[in-house]
Amino acid sequence: MKLTSTFTYVLIAFITVILLWQGIIWIGDYPEALLPSPIMVFWGLVSIIQDGTLINHITISLFRFFSGYLSAVVIAVVLGLLLARSRHVWRVVDPIVQVLRPVAPVAWSPFIVLWFGIGNMPAIVIIFIAAFFPVLLSTVSAVKKIDPTYLKLAENLELSRSSLLWKIIFPASFPYIANGLHIAVGTAWIFLVAGEMIGAQSGLGYLIVDSRNALDLDLVLAGIIVIGVLGLLLDKGIGLFEKWIGKQWGVQS
């Protein structure tokens, strides 16, 4: 019943967007060369699905995304757990993080291209930077919010430092870390597209740039729609993973 209700709302939202889109074209009297109609974009999408172009770009983009995102999550969580437990070290590291964090990852692109060349690595590095800081800061903040009762219990059980981190601190802080994972998915996916627009010859970002250069605006909009849908699916996937972890550890996330 819940799945049917969700599908109904999604369908209503989809129809609403299509009607608004078509209404803007009619009211503004835009030519299709300037603003392609929904049906034109649909057939453009069908064409790049049939010739395999879209699947190829999606596969490459997802590979880059997961390579950068997962490596950023692992490193940021481990560092966050360690730094949050070392108060004096974090007080030294925190100003450095706060200076680097606001800098958009694409601002590093000239150096990234020089150091890593063109291809997959520049996009992966940009995704890593985009995902790293939200997860790191969420992890540090989460550890600081842990109920002191857990730590006292660990002391009474005489747990080792590694056991304390992975058996007590990490499970207790995960519901808050999950917020950082959600934020990082959005920022990393946004900058994946930006990275592919700068130093790549494939991927969804490149598809948009290449279609723009060829004045195929229907394919530009098709690429934008695919990026949005995949971003939504990735966010929902993180949510399902969060719930699964919560069930495994018996915590409410």
Side-chain angles (χ1 to χ4, degrees), residues 42-102:
F42 171 77
W43 287 118
L45 188 59
V46 169
S47 69
I48 56 177
I49 291 175
Q50 289 178 335
D51 64 16
T53 300
L54 181 62
I55 300 302
N56 181 53
H57 287 308
I58 288 176
T59 302
I60 293 171
S61 289
L62 289 178
F63 167 75
R64 291 167 179 162
F65 174 80
F66 284 113
S67 297
Y69 178 78
L70 293 178
S71 58
V73 166
V74 171
I75 294 174
V77 169
V78 172
L79 280 178
L81 292 173
L82 296 174
L83 291 173
R85 297 291 295 164
S86 305
R87 184 168 59 90
H88 296 294
V89 175
W90 175 245
R91 292 181 68 179
V92 174
V93 174
D94 184 46
I96 300 173
V97 172
Q98 297 303 334
V99 169
L100 295 176
R101 181 175 63 89

Side-chain angles (χ1 to χ4, degrees), residues 8 11 52 62 72 76 78 83 91 103 106 128 133 167 209 247:
T8 301
L11 183 61
L62 289 178
V78 172
L83 291 173
R91 292 181 68 179
V103 180
V106 290
F128 178 93
F133 291 110
K167 293 182 179 180
V209 172
K247 289 180 180 179

Side-chain angles (χ1 to χ4, degrees), residues 34-188:
L34 184 61
L35 180 58
S37 65
I39 190 65
M40 185 178 177
V41 173
F42 171 77
W43 287 118
L45 188 59
V46 169
S47 69
I48 56 177
I49 291 175
Q50 289 178 335
D51 64 16
T53 300
L54 181 62
I55 300 302
N56 181 53
H57 287 308
I58 288 176
T59 302
I60 293 171
S61 289
L62 289 178
F63 167 75
R64 291 167 179 162
F65 174 80
F66 284 113
S67 297
Y69 178 78
L70 293 178
S71 58
V73 166
V74 171
I75 294 174
V77 169
V78 172
L79 280 178
L81 292 173
L82 296 174
L83 291 173
R85 297 291 295 164
S86 305
R87 184 168 59 90
H88 296 294
V89 175
W90 175 245
R91 292 181 68 179
V92 174
V93 174
D94 184 46
I96 300 173
V97 172
Q98 297 303 334
V99 169
L100 295 176
R101 181 175 63 89
V103 180
V106 290
W108 299 102
S109 57
F111 299 102
I112 292 172
V113 172
L114 285 174
W115 297 338
F116 297 100
I118 60 175
N120 289 328
M121 281 308 299
I124 291 173
V125 173
I126 287 174
I127 293 162
F128 178 93
I129 296 171
F132 177 79
F133 291 110
V135 178
L136 176 66
L137 293 174
S138 294
T139 303
V140 172
S141 176
V143 173
K144 291 181 178 180
K145 292 178 181 178
I146 292 177
D147 189 337
T149 304
Y150 292 119
L151 303 180
K152 291 180 180 179
L153 177 62
E155 289 181 7
N156 293 335
L157 295 175
E158 297 182 351
L159 293 178
S160 65
R161 183 179 178 85
S162 59
S163 296
L164 174 65
L165 283 176
W166 300 113
K167 293 182 179 180
I168 303 295
I169 294 177
F170 184 46
S173 60
F174 183 79
Y176 298 98
I177 295 175
N179 293 330
L181 299 181
H182 279 286
I183 296 171
V185 163
T187 55

